[in-house]
Amino acid sequence: MAAGSEATTPVILAAGAGGEEGEHVKPFTPEKAKEIIMSLQQPAIFCNMVFDWPARHWNAKYLSEVLHGKRIRFRMGMKSMSTVPQFETTCSYVEATLEEFLTWNCDQSSISGPFRDYDHSKFWAYADYKYFVSLFEDKTDIFQDVKWSDFGFPGRNGQESTLWIGSLGAHTPCHLDSYGCNLVFQVQGRKRWHLFPPEDTPFLYPTRIPYEESSVFSKINVVNPDLKRFPQFQKAQRHMVTLSPGQVLFVPRHWWHYVESIDPVTVSINSWIELEEDHLARVEEAITRMLVCALKTAENPQNTRAWLNPTEVEETSHAVNCCYLNAAVSAFFDRCRTSKVVEIQAPRTDGERMKKEELNVYSHMEVGQTGSQNLTTGTGKPEAASPFGPDLVPVAQRSEEPPSERGGIFGSDGKDFVDKDGEHFGKLHCAKRQQIMNSEKAIKEQIASNATTAPSQTFISTDDLLDCLVNPQVTRIVAQLLIQGRTL
């Protein structure tokens, strides 16, 4: 079934959301929960694991009392069905208290204050990515209300967590996180998650504009896709689930996700769990940062806000980015010295998607395998017993196209890296060179005029070039070459 259609997998009900605390016994020990998290290769819902967490009672009203007038930043977006994603660079922002947010969210259109310019019927508000250490800097005792130690991570609590508070329609554009895996605890209201596996990356049309470290965005609004512009998206395998209060969603490494609030007020708490693969990913991210900042700054030095996500506050100079890259490479080798190292494989250059075992740099890097259709573990070994049951519910895949029809992004329409004559596009015939020279004047005129009409297929913008240069598959190859060169 095409990913753009509206059919969904069955909604998972909030097992364990009601009842008294004394009625429940946690279904997994911390050790078993961590074992599941570090091996599972598909999203799943943990139920009955957080009924005794004090944070279960953190609804927006309670948090407004705890924060007691503290002003926080809300991202304001339109309640619209555009086919274009609402990236953070296109949103406006409001500094307000939670009390003011709740008053506005009651649809009191005549109110004054920070939300006065935003009609509640037309806008949503989202206090997203609010790190506990900043939000509760003078109330650190509250960190203990979140107990990720129940999932096998001793000492992990609110200090390593992020808070999300939104109104109906608030959402994050479809993206994947470069680092770690994700645990998401739903506190108030419900959120609908649209997820896509890592092997669907070509069908999601990845982009690094807007640039945010560790976030690879999709050019597609996955809830209202433009299939004429992005036809390969029809091959993507959409997974959908509604996350209810009292549940914890596990999102494996590199799974794409679009998250939307479907109740009047939603509150979520998440924590990104570090993985061994993150050491190499940080090298890839440093390469990406250097390329994006160099090209986009050269294109328009005075307007970084057009391409730099508001979450990015660090300096973007070339000297600083060189430091980032060197620090990432140094940290990678520091990790190598404390781990059992296996041979670093030479990168594949035949265009085939690299599998995890070809990228291993540690003998124990088992989690994070991508492209696997084994829905249990990533070790390659048969599992003794499935962990799934009433307290661990997999986010099921919907029906999909036959594997033979699921080629790469350029696989079925002739727009491959190889032309009809079998000549790679990098090896230009004389006639093709002449064609390019003849069109050079037209391209320059198009750039100079800054035309607002849709560019022709022959026009290559800075963003087009960046989408290729910082494609996750390309930066992985570059990172491999950098590391390999330092080990020879």
Side-chain angles (χ1 to χ4, degrees):
M1 184 180 295
S5 62
E6 292 300 319
T8 67
T9 54
V11 170
I12 298 175
L13 299 179
E20 297 299 323
E21 294 181 4
E23 297 176 2
H24 297 288
V25 175
K26 297 196 177 182
F28 304 107
T29 64
E31 295 75 19
K32 182 60 179 178
K34 183 175 183 180
E35 178 187 330
I36 292 170
I37 289 166
M38 301 306 283
S39 61
L40 200 61
Q41 297 300 301
Q42 86 170 107
I45 303 286
F46 282 93
C47 302
N48 297 309
M49 287 291 289
V50 296
F51 56 82
D52 60 345
W53 288 19
R56 271 293 306 274
H57 308 291
W58 281 21
N59 58 35
K61 176 65 176 172
Y62 170 79
L63 289 170
S64 71
E65 295 169 357
V66 171
L67 291 171
H68 193 58
K70 185 182 181 74
R71 303 186 77 79
I72 58 179
R73 195 184 203 195
F74 289 85
R75 179 162 59 96
M76 307 301 297
M78 291 288 294
K79 293 180 179 179
S80 67
M81 283 303 291
S82 169
T83 58
V84 179
Q86 289 195 58
F87 292 125
E88 290 160 75
T89 48
T90 63
C91 291
S92 53
Y93 293 84
V94 163
E95 300 282 337
T97 66
L98 273 179
E99 292 95 334
E100 290 168 327
F101 162 73
L102 291 171
T103 300
W104 171 81
N105 202 44
C106 290
D107 200 13
Q108 299 183 16
S109 55
S110 61
I111 65 168
S112 59
F115 292 99
R116 62 185 174 276
D117 296 328
Y118 299 93
D119 186 335
H120 181 266
S121 66
K122 297 178 181 178
F123 287 88
W124 48 258
Y126 207 6
D128 51 359
Y129 296 100
K130 303 306 176 191
Y131 289 94
F132 277 43
V133 291
S134 300
L135 197 60
F136 303 110
E137 55 189 343
D138 56 345
K139 299 178 177 65
T140 56
D141 288 349
I142 206 169
F143 293 168
Q144 306 306 318
D145 287 9
V146 179
K147 303 178 179 180
W148 298 115
S149 55
D150 284 349
F151 288 86
F153 302 97
R156 196 178 194 93
N157 54 39
Q159 188 169 4
E160 296 83 18
S161 301
T162 310
L163 185 68
W164 310 68
I165 304 171
S167 64
L168 180 67
H171 65 268
T172 51
C174 188
H175 67 284
L176 68 78
D177 299 313
S178 303
Y179 306 145
C181 60
N182 197 359
L183 289 174
V184 185
F185 167 34
Q186 192 61 27
V187 180
Q188 179 181 4
R190 296 167 300 153
K191 282 186 171 177
R192 181 173 295 127
W193 285 71
H194 304 245
L195 301 113
F196 302 86
E199 61 265 27
D200 280 356
T201 292
F203 310 137
L204 273 297
Y205 297 81
T207 181
R208 295 311 298 262
I209 303 298
Y211 173 74
E212 176 181 86
E213 184 188 0
S214 81
S215 293
V216 182
F217 291 102
S218 169
K219 295 180 183 179
I220 302 168
N221 180 355
V222 299
V223 296
N224 189 30
D226 183 345
L227 296 178
K228 184 176 180 181
R229 185 180 178 193
F230 305 112
Q232 296 291 327
F233 180 61
Q234 296 178 85
K235 298 180 180 180
Q237 304 169 88
R238 187 194 299 263
H239 300 56
M240 288 179 66
V241 68
T242 297
L243 192 65
S244 298
Q247 297 178 331
V248 174
L249 173 66
F250 165 65
V251 182
R253 183 176 188 260
H254 285 183
W255 273 71
W256 293 84
H257 47 285
Y258 171 103
V259 190
E260 55 183 337
S261 298
I262 61 172
D263 278 330
V265 180
T266 61
V267 177
S268 310
I269 298 169
N270 88 295
S271 189
W272 286 284
I273 308 299
E274 301 83 0
L275 297 173
E276 203 63 66
E277 291 90 338
D278 292 350
H279 299 288
L280 179 60
R282 288 191 179 90
V283 178
E284 298 169 20
E285 282 298 305
I287 294 166
T288 298
R289 180 186 180 91
M290 181 174 286
L291 286 170
V292 171
C293 292
L295 285 178
K296 294 300 290 183
T297 302
E299 181 184 54
N300 191 346
Q302 279 75 44
N303 192 19
T304 59
R305 287 298 118 189
W307 56 269
L308 192 65
N309 232 30
T311 53
E312 292 295 311
V313 296
E314 294 85 0
E315 186 183 349
T316 57
S317 71
H318 187 69
V320 168
N321 291 338
C322 282
C323 291
Y324 272 116
L325 179 58
N326 280 279
V329 172
S330 296
F332 177 88
F333 283 114
D334 287 344
R335 183 61 182 172
C336 284
R337 282 189 283 271
T338 60
S339 304
K340 183 179 179 181
V341 182
V342 297
E343 181 181 359
I344 298 176
Q345 300 282 344
R348 295 289 293 274
T349 57
D350 59 2
E352 180 181 341
R353 188 182 184 282
M354 291 187 293
K355 294 181 173 60
K356 187 274 303 184
E357 57 268 23
E358 297 171 325
L359 300 173
N360 249 349
V361 289
Y362 306 118
S363 61
H364 59 283
M365 284 172 64
E366 297 294 345
V367 296
Q369 180 177 349
T370 60
S372 172
Q373 293 304 308
N374 180 351
L375 302 184
T376 53
T377 64
T379 62
K381 299 177 182 178
E383 187 185 28
S386 170
F388 298 128
D391 298 302
L392 182 68
V393 185
V395 179
Q397 294 187 16
R398 59 165 53 196
S399 58
E400 60 186 44
E401 299 292 335
S404 61
E405 297 177 20
R406 292 180 51 75
I409 188 169
F410 306 108
S412 61
D413 58 2
K415 297 176 183 176
D416 205 331
F417 287 107
V418 180
D419 66 22
K420 290 185 292 184
D421 300 319
E423 189 76 16
H424 285 273
F425 71 91
K427 301 175 182 177
L428 297 175
H429 297 296
C430 291
K432 291 181 180 177
R433 282 200 196 95
Q434 189 60 46
Q435 249 182 338
I436 291 173
M437 291 173 66
N438 290 341
S439 63
E440 199 172 84
K441 181 180 178 182
I443 293 173
K444 288 180 179 178
E445 289 173 354
Q446 186 171 356
I447 296 172
S449 65
N450 194 23
T452 57
T453 57
S456 68
Q457 290 185 342
T458 58
F459 174 69
I460 304 298
S461 69
T462 303
D463 289 1
D464 292 331
L465 177 61
L466 273 171
D467 286 338
C468 297
L469 289 175
V470 298
N471 182 288
Q473 293 170 280
V474 175
T475 54
R476 173 154 292 193
I477 292 173
V478 175
Q480 287 281 304
L481 288 170
L482 272 177
I483 291 164
Q484 186 184 32
R486 295 298 180 273
T487 58
L488 294 178

